[in-house]
Amino acid sequence: MRNLFKTIKNVFIPKKLEELEELPNTGNIHQDVITYLQKGGTLTSEEAKILFGTSRLSSIINRARRRGLAIKTDMIDVPNRHGNLIKIAQYSIIR
């Protein structure tokens, strides 16, 4: 598990683990994710799993958009477990 965590840390969240103490923690995952994005953060689904414990980031983003929040989706390249580049969604607030 330790090696997998290092791989995930290096690929998806090189700096975000340093921010763990500063992450919003209201007890409401939806609100915590939105607050994190509003403070200038970006999130992929894998980062949301690690940082907020949610596997439903797209649902949170969809609800926020329906409520009028302007959220941008960028497709970024990341290596998969075989070393091939794949595209995944990275969400951020439009400023």
Side-chain angles (χ1 to χ4, degrees):
M1 188 66 161
R2 212 176 253 169
N3 289 338
L4 174 63
F5 186 74
K6 286 181 182 175
T7 301
I8 291 171
K9 181 180 174 185
N10 291 337
V11 173
F12 292 104
I13 49 174
K15 294 182 182 175
K16 292 183 181 174
L17 283 179
E18 298 168 4
E19 303 170 359
L20 278 177
E21 293 180 8
E22 301 173 13
L23 287 177
N25 187 12
T26 64
N28 180 327
I29 293 173
H30 291 253
Q31 187 57 48
D32 291 346
V33 167
I34 298 308
T35 300
Y36 179 78
L37 292 174
Q38 288 173 330
K39 290 182 176 181
T42 61
L43 276 179
T44 65
S45 60
E46 195 65 29
E47 292 168 347
K49 284 178 196 173
I50 294 166
L51 297 176
F52 296 100
T54 181
S55 60
R56 300 285 297 148
L57 179 61
S58 61
S59 174
I60 294 170
I61 297 299
N62 188 32
R63 282 179 64 182
R65 284 178 172 154
R66 281 186 284 150
R67 292 180 180 167
L69 197 58
I71 298 177
K72 178 174 77 165
T73 303
D74 291 317
M75 298 306 290
I76 61 169
D77 293 322
V78 296
N80 66 11
R81 65 183 176 166
H82 304 291
N84 301 322
L85 288 180
I86 59 171
K87 292 199 179 289
I88 63 170
Q90 182 180 55
Y91 301 101
S92 61
I93 298 286
I94 298 173
R95 303 232 174 231

